[in-house]
Every structure is written in C-alpha cells, then in structure tokens.
Amino acid sequence: METSRRELMKLGLAAGATVCMPSMLRAQTGELRTVRMVMGDLQVFDPVFTTSDITQFHGLAIYDTLFGLDSNLVAQPQMVNKWAVSEDQKSYTFELRDGLSWHDGTPVTAADCVASIRRWGQVDPAGQLLLERAAEISSKDDKTFDIVFKEPFGLVIDLLANAAGRPLFIMREQDAKRPATEQVTANIGSGPFKFNASLAKPGSSVTYDRNEDYVPRREPASEFSGGKIVNVDRVIWDNISDPQTAVAALQAAEVDFLIQPPADLYPAIEADPNLELQALAKSGSAYYARINFLQKPFDNVKARQALLHLIDQEAFVQVVSPDPKYGGTVTSLFGSKTAYSNDENTGWYKKGGDAEKAKQLFKEAGYAGEKVLILTPTDWAEGNNASQFLAASLQKIGVNAELAPMTWSELSARRENKGSVEDGGWSIFVTSQSDFSLGNPIGSSFFLANGEKAWYGWPKSDEFEALRSKWADVGTIEQRKELAREMQRVWWDFVGTVFLCRTLSPSAHRKQLTDLISTQGEYRPMWNMKKV
C-alpha cells in the first residue's frame, strides 16, 4: 500500500509524541509516587535501644510485628498465621505465615522471633513482664516457636501486641542477639519499606523505598493491624529543624507532610486551601516534666512536690496550644479519657498553681540555690516553649533555673547521663505521652518506678512498684479501677513526674496526601497513604 506525504507527517508527529509523552508522564508519576515528610531528626535507628518516637516511626517502616492492635484496641495477628494455647493455659505455640522474608532476601524464621522477644524483654516493661513469667521460649522448627509459662497467664497476646511502649519489632537473629544496650545499625527488617542506605544523608534526610517483596495480609488496614499496603514508591524524611521553615516548605509543596506544626501557625495552615490539619493521634497527649530523682534538688521529695504545686496548667495550655479546642488540663496519672482515669489524691491541683506553696516546699527541701538545668528541644516548638515557661516559673520563686538548648536528638542522648549537672547531667526535660498509653501501666516505660532501672529520671517507689506488679493478675476492670486509685495515691505522694497540660496535636499535610492511618497513640505508620 502506498503512503501519502500527509500520512507520513502524521506518523512522524505521532512517533514524536510517543517519545515525549512517556518522559513527561514518568516525571509526573514519579512525583506522585514520592512522598516527602518532616518527621524530625533520625539519629538512632534501633527501636529497642531508645523509646524516641521518631525511632519507633522508623521501626514501623522497616520491621514487622507478630501482632498488632486494631482500631478497637484488639490484638490481631500480623506475622503470625495461627497460634494455639494448651489446656493448662501455660503453653503458647505460634506459627509464622507464609511469604515472610528479610530485606536481604533470606527467610524469616522462628529463631529470629525468639531472639527478638528476648532482646525486647531486656528493656520494655511489657517484655520484662513476659520474660519474668516465662519458663521457656524456644523454636520448634523454622516456622514455629513456643512460649511456656510457669503459671497460667492470660495477657500473652496483649503483651506481644503492645503499642504503649516499644512495639515488639522482629529483627534478624544475628541483630537481635546484640544486648539491648548496644545499637543495631543494619536497618534490615522484613517490613513494608526498605531503608535506602545509599541515599541516607545524616542530619539532612533519610529515604525509604517500597518493599516489592513484602506480602501484606488480606485484611483491611486498621491502625497497626491488617494489610500494610504501600501505595507509593518512595518516602523521604527531610530534617527541617526550624518549624516556620517547615510550614513554608509545606505551603510551597516542597514537602507533603509535617508531623507537628507549631500551634501558632495553625490559622495559617487552616487558611491555605491546599493544606489540612488532621489529628492522627486520636487520644491526644499529656505534656509533662520528667524529673531527675538522682541529683539535687529533686532527690528530695519536697522539691518534687514543690514543682507539682507550682505548675499553672491553664497557663501552660496557652503556651503549648493556644486554641482551646486543642488543649486542656490533666490531673490523673492514668490520663484524661482512659478507663482508669480518676481523681484520687489530686488535692494539689489548683487553678493558676500555688507559687507560695511551692516556695515553702523548696525551703523545706533545703534548697540552697543549686542549678536546675532544663534540657530544651529547639526543634520542637511546643517543647521549647513549655521548657522556657517552666524555667521562668521556677525563677519567679527564686530557683536557679537555666535552659540548655539543643535538638531533640541531642536531648535524647544527653538524658541518658545520670551524673550531676556539672558532670553533663540534667535536672528536668519536657516531653509528652499519649493519653492512650497512660491507660497501660504494664506496657509503658512512663510508669516504671524501680530506680536506676526505670525510664529517664529514674523515679523510685517500692510501694508503687508493688502495686503495679499486681496489674497483670487483676481479673476485672472494676478491680483494676480500684488498683489504679491506689497507684495514683502513691504516685502523687512521691511525685514520679509532673503534668503540665494536655493537648491534641494535629499534623499538617497537603490535601493530595490521603488515607493516612490514625492511631490511639503517638506512633505514625506510613503504609496505606496515597498521593493523588
């Protein structure tokens, strides 16, 4: 067949289009398949080594768990296919599901799970309880392992699914055999994302790629359970330490997600038609001052009680969360909205605080002008503001309070120092705890009061620990409510920590980023989200 000149021209134009269009589409598709997020400065990569939130976010990306809590806070199987309990309720047998493999291509085995449970149990309260009650943890074959207990124990699945402390992330046996006090640096998991080591820029950005070999469960995603389906090819965490710069980057579409914008910029975000504020942490958080029990002046209970009376929670709400719909006060050790929230021994609370009572208690504590050093996170606006306000409140009653400005990653390292202020130690740092986790005294490190084995601040009360140890064996919710009142009575006597206020801190994201997973706690999973 003979082809005319005009037809040849049409064919030429069509051929040109087929060359040009795919490159344009590839560029657009690549942009849509990459999500840029501002999550913080990731310095520690081992989620067993630290409780820092950003490290737990990293753990959720690259590791998987045996069980996960759904939106109703019911434990559901994740890596586990099925499990069985013996008639005497002492022996649990777990079988792994098919398709589990490490990012290096090797299969996940039961031995990996056993080693991971043992390492996790060295430092996590839920894991410590499980190991304390267990007689034996061992693998039967490549896909099956047993946990045998000394006595019948009904909380096993709940502990394995715990999300109030460190989740039980399953690591390779060779990594999990490291002591919990030594960091794992390999970043090889079996989870839905792979850590891209070649693109890591310490202090600047880290990159995660979709794990194409990951086999998600068939159930719909529900908080930490169900199918962890990744709908994007790449996620980049940009470290932008200045909050205003981070919001500007979000407005300019240079990033897609900002985990915690400063509260004073909420109006600007809400006014932008391309942006959305969304409270992904559904239960909200309690802000609190963690106090160093090992050093003066807070080694004296009177000084800790002074701080309890000093705090003006209404004023702290204005500092941390000026919009009243996002803030409030909290007086119960068990949070504001958990099943165990109560009013036991809360007579210390007074609207506006009680500066004179605080001054009197510092005097009774024998305070002699020792420096009170407050570790102050400069890259967390609310924590920074709360620290500055706390220092000013102390200074007003004659306490020699001083700020030590640093990034949160630097603070996370500094808070491990148990020495005096002169030796690089500290007196106070401000942090937050999800309301959800305050309902779980056996799963959250916050509640430990066993001295130097406790979480940072190292609070100590043998009476409180004796009560806390009963929690796992109490049978009904009414009995637990009564136990919670006893625990709260003791806690506010020895003052394990001091609440500043409560907030509901929304994240900000561009509206084209959809289907973000919301949870009861503060941990942010990245599966399920789409960029449209």
Side-chain angles (χ1 to χ4, degrees):
M1 182 179 71
E2 189 176 11
T3 304
S4 69
R5 186 171 182 272
R6 178 172 291 185
E7 289 170 331
L8 284 170
M9 288 178 66
K10 288 181 180 179
L11 289 170
L13 288 170
T18 60
V19 172
C20 296
M21 288 301 292
S23 63
M24 294 169 62
L25 289 171
R26 278 196 301 271
Q28 292 171 358
T29 302
E31 184 180 339
L32 288 174
R33 301 287 293 182
T34 298
V35 175
R36 302 190 80 101
M37 310 178 79
V38 179
M39 306 291 279
D41 185 12
L42 179 63
Q43 293 288 336
V44 179
F45 296 85
D46 183 348
V48 174
F49 183 80
T50 181
T51 56
S52 182
D53 284 354
I54 191 169
T55 304
Q56 304 306 315
F57 303 160
H58 166 77
L60 287 171
I62 72 167
Y63 296 110
D64 212 343
T65 58
L66 296 174
F67 292 85
L69 293 180
D70 66 15
S71 58
N72 295 315
L73 303 182
V74 176
Q76 303 292 348
Q78 275 305 118
M79 298 175 76
V80 169
N81 176 41
K82 59 183 179 181
W83 74 98
V85 187
S86 62
E87 287 188 13
D88 63 5
Q89 302 291 303
K90 292 184 181 181
S91 181
Y92 286 71
T93 300
F94 302 91
E95 180 187 285
L96 296 176
R97 65 187 178 95
D98 294 334
L100 301 178
S101 64
W102 299 110
H103 297 159
D104 61 8
T106 57
V108 175
T109 69
D112 298 316
C113 300
V114 170
S116 295
I117 292 170
R118 287 175 175 161
R119 184 171 190 262
W120 168 71
Q122 293 175 35
V123 290
D124 184 81
Q128 289 171 341
L129 176 61
L130 188 141
L131 291 190
E132 177 186 313
R133 301 293 182 94
E136 181 184 3
I137 306 175
S138 60
S139 56
K140 295 177 65 176
D141 55 44
D142 283 349
K143 293 186 65 175
T144 312
F145 65 96
D146 291 335
I147 305 180
V148 180
F149 293 91
K150 302 168 189 173
E151 300 293 337
F153 190 41
L155 291 180
V156 178
I157 306 302
D158 292 327
L159 294 180
L160 295 177
N162 180 48
R166 299 171 176 86
L168 171 54
F169 294 121
I170 301 303
M171 299 180 172
R172 298 181 303 175
E173 182 180 19
Q174 65 199 75
D175 297 323
K177 282 189 171 180
R178 283 186 180 228
T181 52
E182 295 180 10
Q183 290 190 51
V184 170
T185 58
N187 290 314
I188 294 176
S190 66
F193 288 90
K194 288 184 177 182
F195 182 75
N196 191 323
S198 65
L199 294 182
K201 300 174 183 176
S204 177
S205 69
V206 292
T207 298
Y208 300 90
D209 294 327
R210 181 169 61 91
N211 178 11
E212 296 181 358
D213 296 324
Y214 183 76
V215 180
R217 296 190 67 91
R218 295 181 179 180
E219 301 90 342
S222 178
E223 294 211 10
F224 302 110
S225 71
K228 299 178 179 179
I229 297 174
V230 178
N231 297 306
V232 297
D233 291 330
R234 176 165 287 178
V235 177
I236 300 171
W237 290 1
D238 289 311
N239 179 27
I240 304 177
S241 58
D242 178 68
Q244 291 188 332
T245 303
V247 172
L250 187 68
Q251 292 174 318
E254 294 169 0
V255 298
D256 303 292
F257 179 91
L258 176 55
I259 189 164
Q260 192 169 348
D264 58 349
L265 293 181
Y266 290 173
I269 295 169
E270 290 175 318
D272 191 319
N274 298 308
L275 303 183
E276 180 180 347
L277 280 174
Q278 186 176 358
L280 295 171
K282 293 182 287 188
S283 72
S285 298
Y287 277 64
Y288 60 96
R290 196 69 178 183
I291 314 164
N292 191 338
F293 273 56
L294 302 183
Q295 302 295 335
K296 290 183 178 297
F298 298 115
D299 58 340
N300 188 301
V301 66
K302 293 283 189 180
R304 300 194 298 272
Q305 291 171 348
L307 197 59
L308 189 65
H309 286 275
L310 175 66
I311 298 305
D312 178 353
Q313 288 205 28
E314 289 79 9
F316 270 95
V317 170
Q318 290 301 310
V319 168
V320 173
S321 184
D323 190 329
K325 70 183 178 184
Y326 291 120
T329 60
V330 56
T331 57
S332 176
L333 169 63
F334 294 88
S336 300
K337 298 178 181 179
T338 73
Y340 309 109
S341 302
N342 67 84
D343 61 358
E344 184 73 24
N345 196 15
T346 54
W348 49 267
Y349 173 76
K350 181 179 179 181
K351 188 173 182 179
D354 191 340
E356 289 304 312
K357 178 70 171 178
K359 189 184 296 186
Q360 173 195 334
L361 286 166
F362 266 116
K363 184 177 180 180
E364 292 177 12
Y367 177 67
E370 297 93 350
K371 182 188 293 185
V372 171
L373 191 70
I374 303 173
L375 305 184
T376 308
T378 54
D379 53 350
W380 175 30
E382 285 71 27
N384 188 3
N385 293 341
S387 300
Q388 293 189 46
F389 190 71
L390 177 58
S393 301
L394 286 163
Q395 290 163 359
K396 283 182 180 178
I397 63 168
V399 174
N400 179 21
E402 184 177 306
L403 297 169
M406 62 191 68
T407 65
W408 182 260
S409 61
E410 291 170 332
L411 189 156
S412 297
R414 177 77 173 268
R415 66 186 179 181
E416 296 183 23
N417 191 322
K418 295 181 179 178
S420 66
V421 167
E422 292 73 23
D423 292 330
W426 53 277
S427 308
I428 299 171
F429 70 88
V430 172
T431 186
S432 64
Q433 191 87 6
S434 72
D435 197 72
F436 152 74
S437 65
L438 291 174
N440 188 348
I442 60 173
S444 172
S445 298
F446 172 91
F447 286 91
L448 293 175
N450 51 353
E452 295 199 35
K453 294 181 180 180
W455 197 62
Y456 306 111
W458 310 286
K460 182 172 175 57
S461 169
D462 293 340
E463 184 181 4
F464 182 84
E465 277 297 293
L467 290 170
R468 193 179 72 85
S469 68
K470 295 179 181 180
W471 192 271
D473 299 313
V474 170
T476 69
I477 191 168
E478 291 304 320
Q479 290 174 319
R480 283 187 174 175
K481 284 181 177 180
E482 186 57 38
L483 180 58
R485 295 187 71 89
E486 292 184 60
M487 292 169 68
Q488 183 165 301
R489 173 185 58 78
V490 175
W491 183 274
W492 291 135
D493 281 344
F494 80 93
V495 192
T497 196
V498 173
F499 286 136
L500 306 178
C501 63
R502 63 176 174 82
T503 69
L504 185 65
S505 299
S507 296
H509 61 87
R510 296 193 66 79
K511 288 184 177 178
Q512 67 181 146
L513 193 64
T514 68
D515 297 296
L516 295 159
I517 295 281
S518 60
T519 68
Q520 293 293 333
E522 58 271 287
Y523 298 156
R524 299 274 69 79
M526 298 191 298
W527 56 82
N528 204 61
M529 66 181 178
K530 299 173 184 176
K531 191 174 179 183
V532 298

